[in-house]
């Protein structure tokens, strides 16, 4: 064999027994061992060709362990989940390192410009102007952390981006409605580093073939700027309607703290007004309303009015709905 370390000949030395771990339990086998006398390194070609990891896991077990470590609340819980799903018993440390190894490979692939999933030519549904629309969304979520030794530590911000093709509520007669398709990307990057990475999956599904690009965000700091910077054909960035609706619900509960039904009725009517008339008119209505004197209520009202006025240019919901555009970022919120 050619030694991968120094390029010289490594001669066969012996067959050696080894145990690896798989989804069907431990596997014990003999494989050839080669030794390079020039650099002193040994190699097992079978392990390399079979994709065995440095932690003696088969590729299938590595994949399931990495997924369990990623979705559980902790790597300890990930090890318990792995045992429950597959009957595979790995230590907490092995699950942690396996997930981290997979993360490094993914990070390297993303940095090299890789796009995941098959290359596809998506269909982009037409809006009511007859133009085919593609959506790009960006959001952030907090990720909890521990310090070395299990102590407390500040959390980190993870960014989540997606490109998708939701259709209008009433599709054109010549279009067959189908489920929305989406590609996601997420990671513990700085926002300036993350947003450009979203261009690769967007190109992978043919976003350039859409006539109109629309952005969606929750109005977080810097999100709209990064969307426009990296997707210069975005015509506008819509503020996800759920966020102001949630603020209206909170204000109604402050107004009627002891009457949940009345608070919900008030919130429902103002959410409908927001949808029918937009943020600027709702801000004007709230400004003219005679609010009772109650601790904290006036401050909450002023905060909401300021929020509506700052974001009025992204809250023209009647216009957006009249064009058949999507005004909710539920898909990226659920990913967060």
């Amino acid at each position: 064999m050619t030694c991968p370390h120094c390029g010289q000949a490594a001669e066969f030395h012996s067959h050696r027994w080894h145990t690896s771990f798989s989804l069907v339990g431990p596997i014990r086998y003999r494989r050839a061992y080669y030794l390079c006398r020039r650099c002193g390194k040994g190699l097992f070609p079978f392990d390399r060709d079979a994709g065995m990891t440095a932690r003696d896991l088969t590729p299938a077990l590595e994949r399931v362990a990495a997924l369990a470590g990623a979705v559980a609340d902790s790597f300890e819980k990930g090890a318990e989940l792995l045992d429950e799903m597959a009957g595979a018993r790995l230590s907490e440390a092995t699950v942690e390192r396996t997930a981290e190894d997979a993360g490094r490979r993914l990070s390297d692939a993303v940095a090299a410009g890789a796009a995941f999933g098959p290359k596809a030519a998506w269909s982009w549904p037409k809006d009511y102007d007859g133009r085919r629309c593609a959506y790009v969304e960006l959001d952030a979520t907090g990720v909890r952390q521990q310090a070395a030794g299990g102590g407390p530590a500040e959390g980190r911000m993870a960014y989540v981006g997606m490109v998708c093709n939701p259709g209008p509520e009433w599709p054109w007669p010549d279009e067959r409605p189908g489920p929305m398709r989406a590609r996601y990307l997420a990671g513990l990057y700085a926002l300036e580093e993350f947003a450009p990475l979203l261009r690769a999956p967007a190109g992978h599904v043919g976003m350039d073939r859409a006539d109109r690009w629309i952005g969606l965000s929750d109005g977080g700091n810097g999100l709209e700027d990064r969307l426009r910077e990296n997707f210069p054909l975005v015509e506008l960035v819509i503020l996800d309607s759920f966020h102001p609706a949630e603020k209206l619900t909170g204000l109604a509960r402050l107004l009627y703290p002891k009457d949940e039904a009345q608070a919900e009725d008030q919130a429902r009517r103002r959410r409908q007004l927001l949808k029918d008339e937009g943020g600027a008119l709702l801000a004007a209505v709230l400004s003219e309303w005679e609010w009772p004197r109650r601790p904290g209520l006036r401050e909450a009202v002023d905060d909401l009015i300021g929020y509506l006025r700052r974001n009025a240019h992204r809250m023209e919901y009647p216009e957006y709905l009249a064009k058949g555009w999507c005004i909710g970022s539920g898909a990226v919120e659920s990913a967060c």
Side-chain angles (χ1 to χ4, degrees):
M1 298 290 295
T2 299
C3 176
H5 304 288
C6 69
Q8 299 301 310
E11 63 184 29
F12 172 78
H13 186 273
S14 62
H15 283 95
R16 295 191 175 183
W17 285 99
H18 186 67
T19 300
S20 291
F21 299 92
S22 76
L23 283 173
V24 294
I27 301 175
R28 184 164 172 78
Y29 55 94
R30 290 203 326 161
R31 75 272 204 258
Y33 173 65
Y34 291 77
L35 177 65
C36 177
R37 300 192 183 279
R38 180 184 178 94
C39 68
K41 300 286 181 65
L43 64 148
F44 296 94
F46 175 83
D47 290 355
R48 178 193 61 201
D49 295 343
M52 297 296 180
T53 73
R55 309 188 196 287
D56 293 324
L57 306 183
T58 63
L61 180 55
E62 183 197 37
R63 179 176 176 82
V64 175
L67 289 171
V71 303
D73 290 337
S74 67
F75 292 116
E76 179 184 11
K77 295 292 184 184
E80 294 174 2
L81 180 60
L82 180 63
D83 186 15
E84 183 176 350
M85 288 191 304
R89 297 187 177 182
L90 299 180
S91 69
E92 173 187 350
T94 299
V95 172
E96 176 179 4
R97 290 168 185 148
T98 299
E100 289 174 345
D101 289 346
R104 289 188 192 96
R105 293 199 302 272
L106 286 170
S107 177
D108 292 344
V110 169
F116 301 101
K119 192 170 185 178
W122 281 1
S123 62
W124 304 99
K126 291 186 293 186
D127 64 10
Y128 299 149
D129 289 336
R131 303 187 68 187
R132 300 193 179 278
C133 297
Y135 292 78
V136 58
E137 306 184 19
L138 193 57
D139 204 352
T141 186
V143 177
R144 294 175 296 172
Q145 290 196 131
Q146 284 185 331
E154 289 287 331
R156 294 179 67 184
M157 193 67 75
Y159 288 98
V160 180
M162 64 175 292
V163 57
C164 58
N165 65 345
E169 184 177 4
W170 304 103
W172 285 72
D174 62 337
E175 292 194 326
R176 180 179 299 174
M180 185 188 79
R181 305 177 76 178
R183 292 282 175 92
Y184 293 90
L185 186 67
L188 293 166
Y189 297 90
L191 178 57
E192 293 75 13
E193 298 173 0
F194 177 76
L197 299 176
L198 195 54
R199 296 200 297 254
H204 210 55
V205 297
M207 187 175 176
D208 58 312
R209 288 189 290 274
D211 304 317
R212 171 173 275 160
W213 293 5
I214 298 172
L216 264 168
S217 83
D218 65 356
N221 189 33
L223 296 182
E224 179 173 353
D225 292 340
R226 298 290 82 77
L227 280 176
R228 292 187 178 279
E229 179 180 277
N230 291 281
F231 295 87
L233 298 184
V234 163
E235 293 186 20
L236 77 162
V237 177
I238 297 173
L239 181 71
D240 165 45
S241 61
F242 175 77
H243 283 79
E246 193 175 41
K247 292 178 182 292
L248 288 169
T249 300
L251 183 62
R253 288 172 179 167
L254 276 177
L255 182 61
Y256 300 107
K258 297 181 179 179
D259 192 334
E260 186 174 342
Q262 194 168 4
E264 177 52 33
D265 181 64
Q266 175 75 262
R268 180 187 55 77
R269 287 189 281 115
R270 287 189 171 143
R271 290 195 300 262
Q272 191 62 47
L273 181 62
L274 173 67
K275 196 173 181 180
D276 293 342
E277 301 293 345
L281 189 139
L282 178 60
V285 169
L286 296 180
S287 298
E288 296 298 323
W289 194 273
E290 292 187 8
W291 298 92
R293 297 185 176 220
R294 188 171 299 149
L297 180 60
R298 185 71 245 180
E299 292 81 359
V301 171
D302 290 342
D303 284 346
L304 180 53
I305 292 173
Y307 172 82
L308 293 171
R309 286 174 173 167
R310 287 192 304 274
N311 292 285
H313 65 292
R314 298 184 287 190
M315 302 169 68
E316 299 288 353
Y317 298 128
E319 176 184 337
Y320 307 152
L321 292 171
K323 290 182 178 292
W325 295 344
C326 178
I327 62 172
S329 64
V332 76
E333 291 288 341
S334 63
C336 284

